[in-house]
Amino acid sequence: MSLARHIDPEEIIEQSKEHPHKKHIAASSRQFHGSWRRDEDAADVPKYKMPKTGINSKAAYQLLHDETALDGNPLLNLASFVHTWMPEDADKLIMENLNKNIVDLDEYPAASLIHNRCISMLGDLWKAPKEGKVIGTATAGSSEAIMLGGLAMKKRWQEARKAAGKDHYHPNIVFGTNAQVALEKFARYFDVETRLVPVSEEKGFCMDPHDAIPFIDENTIGVIVILGSTYTGHYENVKLMSDLLDDLQERTGLDIPIHVDGASGAFIAPFAHPHLKWNFEVPRVVSINTSGHKFGLVYAGLGWILWRDESYLHRDLIFELHYLGSTEYSFTLNFSKPAAPVIAQMFNFLNLGFDGYKKIAYKDLKNARMLSRALDRTYFKVLSNIHLRNPSNTHTGLHEDDAEVYYPGLPVVAFRLSDEFKKENPNVKQAWIQTLLRTKGWIVPNYGAPVGAESVEILRVVVRETLSEDLIERLIVDILEVTENLKSRDGEIFAAATAGGGDSGVHKPGHEEARPDKENFGDAQSGSEPKEQVGYSRQC
């Protein structure tokens, strides 16, 4: 690690220690203060290699307990969609099942049955057709689920191409440049060309189905439609995409399936906007993924993927297993996985029910609307639209707090400094708001928009179940306070302090230890041109 160009912090720390390290600790003092050995037992433990001799469990616990106290407060981490709290009874249930491996169905049949019941409940929630057999599985998260959905589409496309005697070596997949990194990972890891549809601020930084059609050809394995963009929370239009693909098939004969990335939205839309057409009601939707550990309200990491019928889960992805005591079938990327998150998901289904999930979704959206309105009336332009009335809503007699009064979307508030503010304060950088909010404990990311709107910077708040109305009020005050300070003399001081450039974020000692060295993986090694940044990810 390095603090500055001419300082080695490890050397400074070593020189600052007393030598020998324990010279002031006599045997009698150790015996007298036997319950206060907080530092001594862990003092000589190496940081980057396994110690030859271990330390006692209490010292190991205390060392790690103290070190993890440096992490941010999960309650104030407004950058993440991942859920961070469950009731005491759920915590107890998780601890009771923490040692169970759900893949061992013969040993843990109850966990297997609970898993299958979760699949059935999700199939019903997402309106799987009564004819046929919906099939699915728990995963480590939406990333693994998206990999499986993409692989199933690739295998079915390859099989059809082989049967027709056509080239099956050049598959492509279509999705917007606003896609989360998991979509890009699928394409790169499994040799599928990405056909990336540019987005724009005018279209909510998400894919317009009309713009996607020109990217489709006979090698397209499918289109991924995102129900809840991570940039702004917008829902892409699944029904319109399906209608346009129907028209394309009539004109060209191309039959293109849809996978819905519902990582966040598949646990919001059914409760907040039950009339929205996005799920298996839309015939072209062959598979849907979601994250149980996001608005499914379970701790990380848990994902789900369902196919509308088992015929869409290609046989090449299914493995028959015999060595765990019975005949079982596996169609996940990883083999072993904990049963506890699956059981925790069922706890939520039983404890909350449909009405409980609906109340939480309504509360999250209501709080997000309050934050949106407060920001929109001050120094910011709000880019998300869940606080705006939906003129196409045809449902009458709805209460002001009813989510269906407003545009559908995630409880996410995406915003930027208004044009007026930037004109009056040209020296203020939006990224400074992120830095100053961090000093108050809030983690609010500032990032660039995707291809098609690269010049726009976005601040984003994810309103999760733990972000109460009281905390929203406190957040509003803090955002306005730091922004007003940047307009004053304090802003000039902050500008001078950060004029040297570099990383203005929090220093993280040892953070680089396990990261790839870019010089060893970059373009100098491959001789290729660098790939353009698409979303959050770029080639190393």
Side-chain angles (χ1 to χ4, degrees):
M1 72 181 95
S2 62
L3 296 176
R5 186 174 300 173
H6 304 297
I7 297 176
D8 182 345
E10 298 284 3
E11 184 178 344
I12 293 295
I13 292 170
E14 191 61 32
Q15 291 173 354
S16 302
K17 290 180 179 178
E18 300 280 359
H19 294 284
H21 189 67
K22 300 179 181 178
K23 68 178 182 180
H24 297 302
I25 303 175
S28 59
S29 66
R30 286 189 182 189
Q31 186 175 4
F32 183 75
H33 297 292
S35 62
W36 290 83
R37 294 171 59 87
R38 186 183 183 95
D39 265 352
E40 289 83 347
D41 288 326
D44 294 326
V45 175
K47 285 186 174 66
Y48 300 111
K49 64 179 182 180
M50 188 180 295
K52 182 177 181 181
T53 304
I55 58 177
N56 69 69
S57 60
K58 289 186 181 298
Y61 164 81
Q62 195 65 53
L63 176 68
L64 294 173
H65 172 83
D66 293 344
E67 192 162 318
T68 54
L70 295 170
D71 282 339
N73 183 346
L75 181 69
L76 304 182
N77 180 8
L78 310 184
S80 177
F81 288 84
V82 176
H83 192 64
T84 57
W85 176 87
M86 292 192 76
E88 182 179 344
D89 290 330
D91 290 343
K92 182 179 178 182
L93 197 59
I94 288 169
M95 292 306 299
E96 290 172 356
N97 291 278
L98 203 58
N99 57 355
K100 293 181 181 178
N101 181 4
I102 201 168
V103 77
D104 194 345
L105 307 184
D106 186 62
E107 184 70 20
Y108 308 117
S112 172
L113 290 174
I114 290 170
H115 170 277
N116 295 342
R117 286 165 57 200
C118 284
I119 295 295
S120 179
M121 290 181 182
L122 286 170
D124 179 69
L125 184 67
W126 296 342
K127 300 185 178 180
K130 301 303 180 184
E131 66 280 2
K133 180 183 178 182
V134 66
I135 193 169
T137 183
T139 60
S142 274
S143 293
E144 182 188 359
I146 286 167
M147 306 280 174
L148 292 169
L151 280 170
M153 289 194 296
K154 179 183 177 181
K155 291 290 185 181
R156 293 186 78 247
W157 174 84
Q158 286 178 321
E159 187 174 74
R161 298 286 288 182
K162 289 177 184 177
K166 297 181 179 179
D167 171 75
H168 59 277
Y169 296 105
H170 300 91
N172 67 65
I173 192 164
V174 175
F175 50 80
T177 58
N178 58 311
Q180 209 266 356
V181 64
L183 279 66
E184 295 183 58
K185 275 189 174 182
F186 159 72
R188 194 185 301 174
Y189 286 0
F190 294 103
D191 295 322
V192 177
E193 177 195 352
T194 50
R195 298 280 179 88
L196 298 163
V197 183
V199 303
S200 66
E201 182 172 354
E202 295 72 29
K203 295 179 179 179
F205 302 98
C206 61
M207 181 182 72
D208 184 326
H210 291 96
D211 296 337
I213 293 297
F215 288 83
I216 296 170
D217 61 21
E218 64 178 4
N219 292 322
T220 301
I221 65 173
V223 178
I224 299 182
V225 185
I226 302 170
L227 195 75
S229 169
T230 49
Y231 282 88
T232 58
H234 283 83
Y235 290 165
E236 294 178 345
N237 196 326
V238 179
K239 180 64 166 60
L240 177 58
M241 188 76 256
S242 180
D243 291 344
L244 293 175
L245 290 174
D246 287 345
D247 175 70
L248 181 69
Q249 183 174 8
E250 288 182 10
R251 292 186 287 107
T252 66
L254 296 176
D255 185 7
I256 308 297
I258 293 174
H259 172 86
V260 175
D261 174 15
S264 296
F267 265 118
I268 292 290
F271 309 107
H273 293 90
H275 299 98
L276 187 68
K277 303 294 184 184
W278 67 272
N279 50 32
F280 290 127
E281 282 185 298
V282 180
R284 282 196 183 273
V285 174
V286 298
S287 51
I288 302 172
N289 71 273
T290 195
S291 294
H293 62 225
K294 292 180 181 173
F295 292 102
L297 308 180
V298 176
Y299 298 126
L302 176 67
W304 299 96
I305 180 167
L306 271 66
W307 288 268
R308 69 181 301 115
D309 183 79
E310 62 183 3
S311 62
Y312 292 98
L313 174 61
H314 196 272
R315 61 181 180 274
D316 283 355
L317 299 183
I318 303 171
F319 288 81
E320 186 175 305
L321 313 172
H322 297 276
Y323 66 88
L324 289 178
S326 63
T327 300
E328 303 298 346
Y329 299 91
S330 172
F331 44 95
T332 53
L333 294 181
N334 67 312
F335 188 58
S336 295
K337 57 178 177 282
V342 173
I343 296 169
Q345 185 74 84
M346 179 57 75
F347 171 87
N348 281 344
F349 288 170
L350 298 176
N351 181 231
L352 293 173
F354 186 94
D355 287 344
Y357 269 103
K358 180 177 179 178
K359 288 176 182 177
I360 290 173
Y362 269 50
K363 183 195 77 168
D364 291 348
L365 288 164
K366 181 181 178 181
N367 286 338
R369 290 196 297 270
M370 181 171 70
L371 175 59
S372 298
R373 290 166 183 152
L375 296 174
D376 216 22
R377 291 167 181 165
T378 53
Y379 307 120
F380 301 94
K381 178 180 180 181
V382 174
L383 305 171
S384 44
N385 67 351
I386 54 165
H387 63 298
L388 302 177
R389 288 178 173 273
N390 185 358
S392 62
N393 172 49
T394 58
H395 305 289
T396 58
L398 297 177
H399 188 271
E400 184 73 14
D401 289 340
D402 197 302
E404 291 202 275
V405 172
Y406 306 92
Y407 281 106
L410 300 179
V412 166
V413 182
F415 58 104
R416 64 171 177 84
L417 288 170
S418 67
D419 293 336
E420 182 182 0
F421 182 94
K422 290 190 286 186
K423 184 178 180 180
E424 294 174 356
N425 304 275
N427 296 323
V428 173
K429 294 183 179 180
Q430 186 168 292
W432 296 348
I433 297 174
Q434 171 186 344
T435 303
L436 292 176
L437 285 175
R438 187 65 182 260
T439 66
K440 295 176 177 289
W442 303 106
I443 302 174
V444 177
N446 182 77
Y447 51 88
V451 170
E454 301 91 327
S455 62
V456 181
E457 284 185 283
I458 302 173
L459 289 157
R460 187 195 68 199
V461 170
V462 179
V463 180
R464 302 197 308 273
E465 192 267 339
T466 49
L467 194 59
S468 65
E469 183 175 330
D470 181 64
L471 285 174
I472 287 285
E473 293 175 3
R474 183 67 255 171
L475 175 63
I476 291 170
V477 171
D478 286 344
I479 291 175
L480 297 181
E481 181 181 296
V482 301
T483 307
E484 288 181 350
N485 286 342
L486 289 174
K487 293 175 62 178
S488 66
R489 174 67 178 169
D490 291 345
E492 297 177 16
I493 296 172
F494 195 79
T498 59
D503 185 4
S504 60
V506 178
H507 175 62
K508 302 171 183 176
H511 199 58
E512 302 299 322
E513 294 296 331
R515 289 188 169 190
D517 189 335
K518 195 167 184 177
E519 282 69 27
N520 293 333
F521 292 90
D523 308 306
Q525 296 291 319
S526 64
S528 62
E529 290 296 318
K531 291 189 177 181
E532 293 181 356
Q533 182 173 354
V534 176
Y536 296 109
S537 60
R538 69 170 72 196
Q539 191 173 30
C540 179

